[in-house]
Amino acid sequence: MTPSPSPGSVPPAAPDDPDAAAAHADPLDSANTANTVDTVDTVDSLVLHATDNGVSWLTLNRPDAMNAVTWDQRERLIGRLADASADPDIRAVVLTATGKGFCAGADLRGAPPAGERVAGDVARMIRGGAQRLITAVLDCEKPVIAAVNGTAAGLGAHLALACDLVLAAESARFIEVFVRRGLVPDGGGAYLLPRLIGPQRAKELLFFGDALSAAEAERLGLVNRVVPDGELAKTAREWAERLAAGPTRALALTKQLVNASLDADRSTAFAAEATAQEINMTTADAQEGVASFVARRRPTFRGR
């Protein structure tokens, strides 16, 4: 029996679908941004992977489906993010896409076949699927930049907003499509949005499902910076390489502190801060940072 779409799935957008089609945006050519590109199998062709100057580039590559994420793409993204955490030579990650859409949501048509659905199946599907993907971004030990080249809808919007920094092309749009389908937001939407823009603004987006332009998303604080379409790849590369040249472990601990602080009281947050600094001071980069300050020279961080 084919599994029924969960509240976390958004059907792939037709090219003329006004809810998900974006204005023209130049695709990001990941092959030109890296030294090595994996093209081993079909999944690798749908999630392009390249590394360059300590940056892992992950590019969704289903432009005809507005980059709606399939089951196997999701698993590959989760694996690549885990690999980035474990690889000391990877010091930053960029998540982007080809074509006119960043991600139209989840496409579950490629999921493994399931039997007759019973109570609890949908919740398990969401926990094991969309929520695992968002968690992989939030828990990645390297800073993750979203380079949003087009429409980010449903889970696609949450995938971008889970990233540490969000760059958006002028043609990008963000759409909370769940309410349009009579669904509850999943994939972390009701968790991420209130923390980014407050509960009232979050409810406005989730209740109405209106498309949000890149400029409006920046004004609300969902996006760090909006750039012309043709400059998105260049800006993402500049930001990522700057992060990759930084103190990698200190950045990882800083990310953990900021994310945890949203759910912690002051005492817990202060204790975590002190512990993080204790751990960080054992790293070579921290010692280099202090030594360079004393010597009045520019530090050279190596991610160790």
Side-chain angles (χ1 to χ4, degrees):
M1 176 179 177
T2 302
S4 301
S6 78
S9 72
V10 179
D16 59 351
D17 182 353
D19 288 349
H24 176 72
D26 292 335
L28 297 182
D29 184 359
S30 66
N32 291 335
T33 66
N35 296 326
T36 59
V37 178
D38 294 338
T39 55
V40 176
D41 55 32
T42 301
V43 178
D44 277 334
S45 72
L46 298 178
V47 181
L48 304 179
H49 177 235
T51 58
D52 185 33
N53 291 334
V55 179
S56 175
W57 291 77
L58 302 177
T59 305
L60 296 175
N61 188 36
R62 294 184 72 214
D64 293 342
M66 296 291 285
N67 293 302
V69 178
T70 63
W71 181 89
D72 50 0
Q73 280 181 298
R74 182 195 73 213
E75 294 305 306
R76 182 54 55 91
L77 282 174
I78 291 171
R80 290 295 190 193
L81 289 164
D83 291 344
S85 289
D87 188 346
D89 293 327
I90 297 300
R91 300 172 66 185
V93 178
V94 175
L95 179 59
T96 190
T98 58
K100 297 180 180 180
F102 175 75
C103 179
D107 181 354
L108 301 183
R109 291 179 299 179
E116 183 178 356
R117 193 168 76 188
V118 298
D121 278 354
V122 171
R124 280 187 290 272
M125 183 184 300
I126 292 170
R127 287 195 300 267
Q131 290 178 352
R132 278 181 59 242
L133 177 57
I134 298 305
T135 298
V137 177
L138 292 170
D139 289 350
C140 182
E141 295 179 25
K142 309 299 166 65
V144 183
I145 298 173
V148 184
N149 56 297
T151 292
L155 177 61
H158 304 162
L159 181 61
L161 299 179
C163 294
D164 302 301
L165 299 170
V166 183
L167 295 170
E170 289 179 339
S171 63
R173 295 195 302 169
F174 298 82
I175 312 174
E176 289 293 335
V177 298
F178 297 92
V179 70
R180 299 184 182 189
R181 317 292 189 243
L183 302 174
V184 171
D186 65 33
Y191 174 86
L192 293 167
L193 282 169
R195 286 162 171 76
L196 291 168
I197 58 176
Q200 303 306 115
R201 290 290 193 183
K203 290 172 188 174
E204 180 181 346
L205 298 182
L206 295 169
F207 286 1
F208 293 117
D210 293 334
L212 199 65
S213 69
E216 183 67 5
E218 182 183 33
R219 187 185 70 80
L220 290 177
L222 293 173
V223 168
N224 292 90
R225 187 172 301 177
V226 176
V227 298
D229 289 11
E231 296 182 15
L232 181 62
K234 174 177 177 290
T235 305
R237 188 177 304 111
E238 290 172 351
W239 281 34
E241 291 182 355
R242 184 176 176 184
L243 289 169
T248 307
R249 298 312 306 164
L251 292 177
L253 289 166
T254 300
K255 173 176 179 174
Q256 291 173 14
L257 286 173
V258 172
N259 287 351
S261 73
L262 298 172
D263 300 312
D265 57 42
R266 185 181 65 187
S267 296
T268 302
F270 276 23
E273 176 183 272
T275 300
Q277 193 68 287
E278 176 76 23
I279 295 170
N280 185 65
M281 287 303 294
T282 66
T283 67
D285 279 350
Q287 296 169 29
E288 163 65 8
V290 173
S292 65
F293 174 77
V294 173
R296 297 186 179 182
R297 61 174 173 78
R298 187 181 184 89
T300 300
F301 296 122
R302 303 190 183 281
R304 303 297 197 274

